[in-house]
Amino acid sequence: MAEEKQIWLSSPHMSGYEREMVEEAFDTNWIAPVGPHINAFEEELAQYLGHGKVAVLSSGTAAIHLALIMLGVKRGDEVLVSSLTFSGSANPVVYQGATPVFVDSEKDTWNMDPQLLEATIKDRLKKGKKSKAIILVHLYGMPAKMDELMDIAAKYEIPVVEDAAESLGSLHKDRRTGTFGDISVLSFNGNKVITTSGGGALVSANEAYVNLAKKLSTQARDDAPHYQHSMIGYNYRMSNVLAGIGRGQLKVLEQRVNERRKINQFYRELLGNYDFINFLNEPEGHFSNYWLTTILMRDKENSQKPRETLRTELAKHKIECRPLWKPMHLQPVFKNAPAYTNGTAEELFNVGLCLPSGTNMTDDDLERIKTRMQEVLSVL
Ligand SMILES: *Cc1c(COP(=O)(O)O)cnc(C)c1O
């Protein structure tokens, strides 16, 4: 029997356009963190979002870091962060010497709970701490409850960093995610809905932030013939070669979102009839790119058992699944950070599973997933 090929959770899916763009970069020798693809990619992203200006960077994490610097987050400050997220959302808070204060999720979108956010802000104020920023995330592509969250941020005058790393192509009431924050962040890491291998972007309606991001990400050079610096800079700019890949990817973004949503539909048809399996559904006005399809698998004790059985059995057949993000407030590295919890993130982590969602999966791959899943589930 032929060896089974590995099916990944989400792997890069090139369109073919990228190669021309990269070749152009080689032909013109713009093999640098400066060049025409960078400017063009920024303009095309702003056009796609229909909002603001864009600075493309070396990663989404770098974009969050620069966002916090520009919002004046310093040593001793506090920043409110969704607990259920990837560590890249929270680490930059610590780069600034500040403390993340984690806020748990609500059940409808799995994102930051607006009620708990307000309770947290009030409690921190009572303790004499006004948070410097709120980092919100749209997990697995599902937009957060932006109306409520943005109202609370405005009420307490706390700027929002919108982590849209997983949600490019998602909409909240016909408005694209990545356009809500005072500063918004995109990621083009290899596993995201479109990729530049590694990369990110900072987006803002405030052009001053975007210009400053471009300056800070290229070592904060002053306007002088020699190298002069009045600020500490970073080497966070995107390479022109990678911006070329990004331009090729952006051409097929809408198509990729449609394909991800079709994969989500495939799993709903396959698994919808098992009463111990639940999906995350789109609340009214929320349109998800379904970057990853996720399910919850519950037994009577709410244990990890059914989820782990499915995950490990599929792994034996080279089908990669993964538990949901482990909440930040349960991470060893953040054990001393304050956390305001309601049990939702922890429960989701216990019973949640991310399913293979890459758009480059073939019909044969999907058929293999179907057969193997049915085998495992028939004995669960
Ligand atoms: C991927 C990701 C990031 C970080 O992006 P990188 O480009 O990998 O640095 C941040 N937040 C979330 C929620 C992510 O999924």
Side-chain angles (χ1 to χ4, degrees):
M1 203 178 88
E3 179 143 7
E4 286 179 319
K5 117 177 177 258
Q6 176 71 45
I7 297 176
W8 301 104
L9 203 57
S10 177
S11 60
H13 185 185
M14 294 296 109
S15 67
Y17 299 116
E18 298 84 3
R19 202 182 281 270
E20 295 164 35
M21 299 280 184
V22 169
E23 231 160 71
E24 195 180 310
F26 274 72
D27 290 344
T28 54
N29 203 34
W30 285 107
I31 316 292
V34 55
H37 282 326
I38 295 177
N39 306 329
F41 189 31
E42 288 174 340
E43 274 169 32
E44 288 160 8
L45 279 167
Q47 206 162 43
Y48 174 79
L49 294 170
H51 166 92
K53 300 275 180 195
V54 177
V56 290
L57 302 169
S58 55
S59 72
T61 307
I64 296 174
H65 188 198
L66 293 186
L68 296 179
I69 291 168
M70 293 190 290
L71 295 174
V73 173
K74 292 188 293 292
R75 189 160 297 279
D77 287 340
E78 290 187 349
V79 176
L80 304 168
V81 188
S82 298
S83 183
L84 190 62
T85 187
F86 171 59
S87 65
S89 303
N91 285 336
V93 176
V94 181
Y95 303 166
Q96 285 306 97
T99 303
V101 175
F102 295 113
V103 181
D104 213 319
S105 299
E106 37 78 11
K107 290 186 160 64
D108 299 337
T109 75
W110 302 359
N111 293 306
M112 192 185 276
D113 181 335
Q115 279 183 335
L116 192 55
L117 171 64
E118 183 157 28
T120 303
I121 293 171
K122 283 184 177 163
D123 191 62
R124 297 321 286 173
L125 283 172
K126 218 165 24 178
K127 293 182 163 64
K129 282 283 188 185
K130 164 131 193 207
S131 302
K132 269 298 189 59
I134 303 171
I135 303 177
L136 298 178
V137 59
H138 309 290
L139 215 61
Y140 303 117
M142 183 63 77
K145 294 193 169 173
M146 294 313 284
D147 292 338
E148 290 98 318
L149 292 167
M150 295 307 288
D151 281 352
I152 294 163
K155 179 172 165 191
Y156 294 91
E157 298 183 326
I158 306 174
V160 169
V161 177
E162 181 194 11
D163 179 350
E166 300 181 359
S167 68
L168 186 57
S170 299
L171 298 159
H172 182 267
K173 297 191 174 163
D174 295 330
R175 181 167 162 189
R176 291 198 190 286
T177 62
T179 68
F180 286 89
D182 293 271
I183 301 176
S184 300
V185 168
L186 309 176
S187 169
F188 309 113
N189 199 358
N191 57 355
K192 299 289 156 66
V193 82
I194 60 169
T195 182
T196 60
S197 73
L202 182 146
V203 183
S204 183
N206 184 340
E207 204 170 344
Y209 283 148
V210 175
N211 289 337
L212 187 53
K214 290 178 187 175
K215 180 170 175 171
L216 288 173
S217 64
T218 49
Q219 306 288 22
R221 201 179 156 191
D222 292 343
D223 193 11
H226 51 276
Y227 274 82
Q228 176 165 304
H229 308 275
S230 338
M231 285 186 289
I232 291 296
Y234 299 84
N235 186 1
Y236 278 175
R237 198 71 163 127
M238 181 179 279
S239 151
N240 189 63
V241 179
L242 301 189
I245 298 179
R247 294 185 72 193
Q249 287 274 281
L250 193 54
K251 284 187 202 289
V252 293
L253 173 57
E254 283 303 273
Q255 198 180 316
R256 295 289 185 260
V257 170
N258 289 337
E259 289 160 352
R260 295 252 174 191
R261 288 177 63 84
K262 269 204 202 121
I263 291 166
N264 184 266
Q265 199 51 43
F266 161 82
Y267 286 118
R268 283 174 194 269
E269 280 158 27
L270 178 61
L271 305 173
N273 288 331
Y274 296 91
D275 56 6
F276 58 97
I277 296 180
N278 286 296
F279 284 83
L280 175 62
N281 297 315
E282 292 167 314
E284 176 88 38
H286 295 238
F287 177 93
S288 175
N289 68 6
Y290 283 124
W291 168 55
L292 296 183
T293 289
T294 52
I295 55 170
L296 304 178
M297 297 181 71
R298 288 194 175 84
D299 59 7
K300 287 196 181 67
E301 292 84 41
N302 252 357
S303 80
Q304 299 185 352
K305 241 171 71 194
R307 193 274 310 277
E308 280 304 280
T309 304
L310 182 61
R311 188 183 69 76
T312 52
E313 286 303 312
L314 291 176
K316 286 180 195 160
H317 295 285
K318 296 199 171 175
I319 298 169
E320 184 187 36
C321 300
R322 201 175 295 157
L324 301 194
W325 297 123
K326 179 168 182 170
M328 291 302 113
H329 73 271
L330 299 177
Q331 295 286 357
V333 72
F334 292 123
K335 65 178 186 295
N336 295 322
Y340 291 75
T341 58
N342 57 22
T344 302
E346 185 164 358
E347 195 212 332
L348 291 170
F349 172 63
N350 278 335
V351 302
L353 188 66
C354 301
L355 304 177
S357 304
T359 50
N360 53 359
M361 288 190 294
T362 63
D363 287 347
D364 282 350
D365 292 340
L366 293 176
E367 200 51 43
R368 222 176 94 203
I369 291 171
K370 180 174 171 180
T371 308
R372 294 302 180 191
M373 278 193 169
Q374 284 174 335
E375 261 172 32
V376 182
L377 293 172
S378 68
V379 296
L380 263 187

